[in-house]
Amino acid sequence: MSEATDVVSIAAAINHVPTLVKDERGIEWLMIPGTGGSYTAKQLTPDSEITPKPGFVSGGPLVATTQSLIDYVNRFKNDSTVIFANLDTAKIVACVDYHTAGSAAAGLRKHHAVLQLAHSKEWRTWTGVDGVMMEQKKFARFLEEHKLDITSPPGATLLEMVLDMEKGVNMRVGRKMLSAGSDRGISGSSLDIDGTELPPVWTLAIPVYLGENPVVVTAYARDEIDDGKLMVGFKLSKIESVIEAELTRIADEIAEHTKVPVMLGSPGNV
């Protein structure tokens, strides 16, 4: 009688039903129920027939922050590891098993970690209304909700300036309407304000990407009168350059803290 048959006989003798299972490597086990819900595992597949574990890692994680990518690379890196930063897609890929320097043999390129940078909530908020002219009260509400992102002039001060602008504009437009004998607003008229005017340049401090530190962004004030209504907005300066500079900074930070070279581009398989 074989060893496996002996186990089945023992299990049957104590009125328990054994269970046959196969693990992820194809090894068959006989799970013999014992007392108190316990089980005893008996290997049925001979050791000589067990397939070895794979000799390489396939796949890898999608990490959420720069620090997570740094930590992963530092744990698994070797002499073949290379990091790629794609400025167009804001994706940074660490290829752990890339081609070894000075070797004619190609690397497997199967083990990798990917950091897909996502714009921060603050960045999406401000760029979402970049160049959009808003009625004075609507713009004031926008500033009220996001005044902490404004560093110069202080957000609270800028909000007061926007509110004060309306008083001067209403006075000037009212006088023009009265002198012209019209009860309509003056569409397309120049903005002639008796009172506070907005500073032409503002400074914001907002993160470009989620989890990163704020960067300085310059905004230029815009204002006009449309059909007697004061319209206010802003135009962000060179935001493409701000994004490129931040991506380059992140790539340099990863290279510094991992001591792994960072190439601009993509490994081609991720």
Side-chain angles (χ1 to χ4, degrees):
M1 182 180 293
S2 68
E3 187 177 25
T5 305
D6 289 340
V7 173
V8 174
S9 300
I10 294 172
I14 57 176
N15 296 321
H16 286 285
V17 178
T19 303
L20 186 66
V21 297
K22 182 181 292 186
D23 65 19
E24 59 184 7
R25 295 178 61 190
I27 304 174
E28 290 187 331
W29 299 84
L30 188 66
M31 307 302 294
I32 306 170
T35 60
S38 64
Y39 284 84
T40 300
K42 185 68 176 180
Q43 179 179 319
L44 301 183
T45 304
D47 290 342
S48 60
E49 297 180 9
I50 299 175
T51 303
K53 290 183 178 180
F56 60 89
V57 177
S58 180
L62 179 63
V63 299
T65 65
T66 300
Q67 188 59 52
S68 294
L69 185 66
I70 291 172
D71 292 341
Y72 191 89
V73 171
N74 283 336
R75 181 173 182 178
F76 295 103
K77 68 182 179 181
N78 53 56
D79 292 340
S80 302
T81 302
V82 178
I83 299 173
F84 295 86
N86 192 318
L87 300 184
D88 293 330
T89 61
K91 178 186 289 187
I92 300 178
V93 178
C95 190
V96 178
D97 53 356
Y98 201 66
H99 314 319
T100 303
S103 173
L108 292 172
R109 297 193 303 168
K110 296 294 186 181
H111 184 191
H112 55 264
V114 178
L115 170 61
Q116 179 62 72
L117 292 166
H119 286 303
S120 69
K121 181 179 179 181
E122 296 89 343
W123 184 265
R124 295 195 308 270
T125 295
W126 284 92
T127 58
V129 293
D130 180 25
V132 177
M133 302 301 292
M134 290 181 268
E135 189 271 329
Q136 182 267 348
K137 291 183 179 179
K138 182 177 180 180
F139 189 75
R141 287 194 296 270
F142 175 83
L143 289 184
E144 175 67 25
E145 294 174 0
H146 307 289
K147 61 186 178 183
L148 296 180
D149 297 334
I150 307 170
T151 57
S152 178
T157 301
L158 185 60
L159 175 60
E160 292 180 2
M161 291 179 176
V162 171
L163 294 173
D164 287 343
M165 282 181 69
E166 185 184 35
K167 300 175 183 177
V169 171
N170 285 342
M171 291 174 59
R172 173 62 66 184
V173 172
R175 284 199 294 270
K176 287 185 177 181
M177 288 168 56
L178 181 63
S179 63
S182 171
D183 57 357
R184 299 180 59 211
I186 306 172
S187 178
S189 63
S190 62
L191 186 59
D192 190 2
I193 300 175
D194 290 345
T196 303
E197 295 187 22
L198 292 183
V201 181
W202 315 336
T203 302
L204 311 177
I206 56 177
V208 178
Y209 294 108
L210 186 67
E212 300 296 333
N213 293 325
V215 301
V216 175
V217 181
T218 301
Y220 293 98
R222 297 286 186 269
D223 46 46
E224 62 184 28
I225 295 178
D226 183 8
D227 198 22
K229 295 180 180 180
L230 172 61
M231 308 295 290
V232 188
F234 60 87
K235 183 63 180 176
L236 299 178
S237 175
K238 299 181 178 179
I239 56 176
E240 293 82 6
S241 297
V242 174
I243 292 174
E244 182 176 348
E246 182 65 356
L247 281 169
T248 302
R249 183 199 65 79
I250 292 172
D252 291 342
E253 179 182 348
I254 293 172
E256 177 184 357
H257 288 88
T258 61
K259 308 305 179 185
V260 172
V262 176
M263 312 293 185
L264 296 183
S266 170
N269 65 330
V270 180

